[in-house]
Amino acid sequence: AQSVTQLGSHVSVSEGALVLLRCNYSSSVPPYLFWYVQYPNQGLQLLLKYTSAATLVKGINDFEAEFKKSETSFHLTKPSAHMSDAAEYFCAVSKGFQKLVFGTGTRLLVSP
Amino acid sequence: EPEVTQTPSHQVTQMGQEVILRCVPISNHLYFYWYRQILGQKVEFLVSFYNNEISEKSEIFDDQFSVERPDGSNFTLKIRSTKLEDSAMYFCASSPGGSGRVSYNEQFFGPGTRLTVL
């Protein structure tokens, strides 16, 4: 069975600081990996995805993630946090068109 | 830009009542999904639908749940007899499907329906 683990339910950074949100996955087959963002009282918006092409994936709003098979990781980074980045971030894994399996989420807090 | 829409945005119902949550997936998408998110918890898969039939369902999706694509555009989730624990945000998603396209397996989510069971 596929699963993802997100370390840290809350991450706090200062505006302008590096953002690092951690995600480790478990999959018996090459996975498709995704990061979604959820702003308060809104739906899920795709930030970026890994689908077995380049291991370094760039997404919207300067976010990027690197697929590391040896570490079974897909951590999300952003060089410089902005106040508008405060939200809940979900890592997810799937096989092809099958269900997305989500992690428990990480709430990013950005202070001025 | 095409988007998934869901109605209503908020549904309040009494325990034991039937509710129907409606979704309009992106046109020409082939795969459809329902997920739910209980307040403060992670997003959980309920069911996937392809070619007019359920392709996968979770253990949450028991006999009180059903899905239907009645007219080629709407995709509905019915809960026959709601329970207090059904209170959650319900998300619909759709995926293009097909092959040879970069985003063929990306799932596009609607804004959700907040279901409150009293």
Side-chain angles (χ1 to χ4, degrees), chain B residues 2-104:
Chain B
E3 58 184 19
V4 177
T5 59
Q6 292 185 241
T7 54
S9 57
H10 193 187
Q11 174 90 48
V12 181
T13 189
Q14 295 292 324
M15 189 169 56
Q17 294 297 304
E18 174 183 287
V19 294
I20 297 177
L21 310 183
R22 303 182 191 279
C23 168
V24 179
I26 295 173
S27 178
N28 297 323
H29 279 196
L30 302 178
Y31 292 80
F32 313 107
Y33 311 83
W34 282 101
Y35 294 84
R36 79 173 185 188
Q37 183 182 30
I38 295 172
L39 186 64
Q41 298 185 25
K42 69 177 180 180
V43 179
E44 302 173 290
F45 168 77
L46 291 178
V47 66
S48 58
F49 194 84
Y50 171 72
N51 200 25
N52 287 319
E53 61 183 25
I54 291 174
S55 51
E56 186 179 3
K57 60 183 181 179
S58 73
E59 54 205 28
I60 302 169
F61 195 88
D62 60 22
D63 291 344
Q64 71 162 340
F65 291 92
S66 62
V67 290
E68 194 176 37
R69 190 160 161 76
D71 56 13
S73 61
N74 290 283
F75 180 50
T76 62
L77 174 69
K78 181 192 289 185
I79 309 175
R80 290 189 182 82
S81 180
T82 51
K83 304 172 186 172
L84 294 177
E85 55 264 37
D86 293 328
S87 294
M89 181 74 87
Y90 288 80
F91 292 107
C92 173
S94 68
S95 182
S99 61
R101 287 183 284 175
V102 175
S103 64
Y104 72 101

Side-chain angles (χ1 to χ4, degrees), chain A residues 11-21 61-63 77-87 89 108-112:
Chain A
V11 169
S12 295
V13 299
S14 299
E15 193 172 20
L18 171 71
V19 175
L20 171 61
L21 305 182
N61 300 335
D62 296 326
F63 281 95
T77 60
K78 180 173 179 175
S80 177
H82 193 272
M83 296 295 289
S84 61
D85 294 326
Y89 291 81
L108 178 64
L109 307 169
V110 183
S111 57

Side-chain angles (χ1 to χ4, degrees), chain A residues 32-101:
Chain A
Y32 297 107
L33 292 159
F34 306 82
W35 275 100
Y36 283 85
V37 60
Q38 184 180 33
Y39 297 102
N41 300 314
Q42 294 189 27
L44 297 162
Q45 180 183 4
L46 181 70
L47 276 178
L48 49 78
K49 61 187 177 187
Y50 168 76
T51 56
S52 75
T55 56
L56 182 62
V57 180
K58 295 187 182 297
I60 61 172
N61 300 335
D62 296 326
F63 281 95
E64 63 180 38
E66 186 172 7
F67 173 72
K68 292 187 176 181
K69 185 177 179 179
S70 61
E71 299 177 8
T72 60
S73 68
F74 190 58
H75 301 330
L76 181 71
T77 60
K78 180 173 179 175
S80 177
H82 193 272
M83 296 295 289
S84 61
D85 294 326
E88 187 94 19
Y89 291 81
F90 292 95
C91 182
V93 63
S94 79
K95 291 187 293 185
F97 302 113
Q98 297 182 18
K99 64 185 179 187
L100 286 169
V101 176

